[in-house]
Amino acid sequence: MTTTALPPTHTSFLDDALAALAEGATPEVLPLAGDPSAATTEQGTVVTPVPTERLRAAKKAYTTRHLAAHLDDSDGDFTLVSGEDVTPRAGQVVLARVAAFGHHKKLPDVHGRRQTLYPDDEVLLAYAPRYAPDQFEAEVPGSLAMTNLAAAGGLAADVVTQHGSTNDPTVIEPLGLVADAGGTPLQLTDVAPFSVTPAAHTPATDAPGATTEPPVVYVLGSSMNAGKTTAVAQIVRGLSLAGLRVAAGKATGTGAWGDPGLFHDSGAETVLDFTDFGHGSTFRMDLPEIEQLVGAVRRELVATAPDVVVVEIADGLYQRETSHLVRSGLLGRNAHRVVLTVGEALGAVAGVAELRKHGLPLAGVTGAITASPLATQEAGEVLDLPLLDTYALAEPAVVRSFLAL
């Protein structure tokens, strides 16, 4: 008789505590987001000098990589701001201690290597909300109380909802906001290499002999995990193999090394994402600010004078920020082509209808659906646009025809 080992079932901190009680042991009292932390027990606002060496020694997340570079290059003094009166804001950086493990047990570093976390490790994270239907929804807390590691890219935020298949979030204890010598908390925008404000340099497209901007291709999805990032990578690969210079970017989403790293590996000569403009996440940003950010990512990619620019817009068409970008006309005003990625036939039909309603120049459909021959057949029977296998886009002739380049 053959037996099959079953995967371990989902357990939470509460499950562990109940198991301990059943065995007659005294369960460990584990911290939760919202519990008081050392940084909230002090009255008012407290500014404490912190050695630069301590900040350099802390494990840094992808979202704080530009601060890490600033720390390495800086001879200045830094402080930690704590106290019951301190209210963190999105974009501020916190020095925190790993208090209790949950979903995230590793933290990709500034180069993308997955650092193993240990209890009491000190980490540098960025406060920011998170939108991930298949994992966590999280919001920036109103104090320096215990909070969560809400994303592998390094976001500190209170998890408010989570997918049923996702383990409880890791808990971190804020020790203080990283601030300058005078106690002014640092923002990611303070150390980011790019700004939403137009750069002082003259764009490459304004140079002698350059009369037009390169074509810009946007890749959107019907939902999270529809295959957007993979599609961008294959498009970049195919265009690069065709001998074209490609610049690629991710203009919205949650900061993570994997996406820009994949674009680099696929052949993009220049890669930028919203973290390069000082944002750990774009969820819940003011809508005019979202427009400015997407425009800035596009502007800086265009300024490198590539033959083609490819930009990913995160999440699904009905997600707040993505929906606004589609409905505002921003994408349609400067898009050469728009590619829709989907996971199923109904998403393809509804997505095409939504994008056409707002006048976007659709090239066709691809994405996770193409992993299923049956789903692809279903969609192909009702679509009047090309439906291409994602990996066929890595073929130079195919992608050039698909995008009319």
Side-chain angles (χ1 to χ4, degrees):
M1 178 177 178
T2 302
T3 60
T4 302
L6 296 176
T9 58
H10 164 74
T11 60
S12 67
F13 297 146
L14 179 58
D15 295 330
D16 295 338
L18 291 175
L21 282 174
E23 295 173 0
T26 301
E28 179 185 0
V29 179
L30 293 166
L32 297 172
D35 287 350
S37 69
T40 59
T41 57
E42 304 159 302
Q43 293 184 350
T45 299
V46 178
V47 178
T48 306
V50 58
T52 305
E53 291 74 17
R54 181 181 176 187
L55 298 179
R56 289 173 179 161
K59 291 179 177 176
K60 290 120 183 133
Y62 173 71
T63 55
T64 62
R65 70 191 186 284
H66 296 307
L67 175 61
H70 177 68
L71 290 171
D72 289 340
D73 295 338
S74 177
D75 294 326
D77 296 325
F78 296 91
T79 59
L80 290 181
V81 178
S82 59
E84 61 182 3
D85 290 346
V86 177
T87 302
R89 305 295 183 196
Q92 292 178 338
V93 178
V94 61
L95 179 66
R97 179 185 69 85
V98 177
F101 283 112
H103 182 77
H104 292 107
K105 299 178 178 65
K106 292 180 181 292
L107 186 72
D109 68 10
V110 298
H111 304 295
R113 187 184 70 82
R114 300 179 71 220
Q115 305 167 101
T116 298
L117 295 176
Y118 288 92
D120 297 325
D121 269 355
E122 291 189 351
V123 293
L124 284 175
L125 308 171
Y127 276 108
R130 188 185 184 192
Y131 174 94
D134 67 349
Q135 198 172 113
F136 297 132
E137 175 194 6
E139 60 186 22
V140 177
S143 74
L144 292 177
M146 293 282 192
T147 189
N148 299 125
L149 175 55
L155 300 188
D158 287 353
V159 169
V160 294
T161 66
Q162 67 189 71
H163 192 277
S165 66
T166 304
N167 290 336
D168 294 334
T170 290
V171 180
I172 57 172
E173 180 181 21
L175 303 176
L177 299 178
V178 179
D180 62 19
T184 300
L186 295 177
Q187 294 277 345
L188 293 179
T189 51
D190 295 333
V191 294
F194 295 96
S195 170
V196 171
T197 303
H201 64 72
T202 301
T205 49
D206 289 345
T211 58
T212 60
E213 289 189 350
V216 178
V217 175
Y218 289 102
V219 178
L220 294 92
S222 60
S223 66
M224 188 177 181
N225 294 327
K228 296 178 292 294
T229 301
T230 302
V232 171
Q234 299 313 303
I235 290 171
V236 169
R237 182 65 176 163
L239 295 176
S240 297
L241 290 175
L244 300 176
R245 297 179 59 245
V246 186
K250 184 165 183 175
T252 63
T254 299
W257 167 254
D259 296 353
L262 180 58
F263 301 165
H264 271 295
D265 294 343
S266 300
E269 294 190 6
T270 303
V271 177
L272 295 175
D273 72 5
F274 50 89
T275 66
D276 293 307
F277 295 77
H279 298 281
S281 159
T282 60
F283 182 41
R284 293 186 177 169
M285 285 178 63
D286 291 340
L287 296 180
E289 191 177 4
I290 280 286
E291 292 187 34
Q292 293 173 347
L293 175 60
V294 173
V297 172
R298 171 188 163 276
R299 181 191 71 232
E300 294 296 341
L301 291 172
V302 165
T304 65
D307 296 314
V308 186
V309 172
V310 186
V311 179
E312 177 184 347
I313 304 297
D315 304 312
L317 296 181
Y318 289 153
Q319 193 266 359
R320 173 181 174 267
E321 291 80 31
T322 302
S323 176
H324 174 75
L325 290 170
V326 170
R327 295 167 184 265
S328 69
L330 175 70
L331 302 184
R333 285 195 296 272
N334 55 46
H336 170 72
R337 289 291 186 273
V338 170
V339 175
L340 175 66
T341 63
V342 302
E344 72 295 310
L346 185 58
V349 173
V352 167
E354 178 70 11
L355 295 178
R356 278 180 167 166
K357 181 170 67 176
H358 298 288
L360 274 72
L362 277 170
V365 178
T366 187
I369 188 174
T370 63
S372 167
L374 279 176
T376 301
Q377 179 183 342
E378 288 178 358
E381 291 173 352
V382 293
L383 289 175
D384 60 356
L385 284 169
L387 173 58
L388 292 189
D389 179 271
T390 301
Y391 293 95
L393 294 170
E395 297 293 331
V398 172
V399 73
R400 294 198 72 160
S401 175
F402 184 60
L403 298 176
L405 290 170

